Amino acid sequence: MATKHIVGSIVASFAVAYACDTVISDGKLFGGTTPSTVANNDWWKETDKKFQAWPRTAGPPIVMNPISRQNYIVKS
């Protein structure tokens, strides 16, 4: 019986958190706009090119943004 209440509470809290996140961030509840640097794919590509061309002198080559590349060390 307690498990039913605990699981229900957890599911309900996730639902409330999702609803709040959607209303606040996607609905721009507190105002604001999305910066053009975030919305523009060409800007992202040029920035990535700049970071990948960054001269490194100490150590193996690495990817400047490992989250989007999903690897940390570039193997040639």
Side-chain angles (χ1 to χ4, degrees), residues 12-57:
S13 67
F14 276 107
V16 169
Y18 176 78
C20 290
D21 178 59
T22 303
V23 168
I24 291 171
S25 62
D26 295 340
K28 303 284 185 202
L29 181 66
F30 297 113
T33 58
T34 303
S36 64
T37 54
V38 173
N40 187 351
N41 282 338
D42 293 332
W43 185 89
W44 281 108
K45 289 175 187 173
E46 290 300 319
T47 303
D48 191 45
K49 278 190 221 174
K50 182 185 111 179
F51 279 141
Q52 297 312 317
W54 195 293
R56 290 184 44 87
T57 57

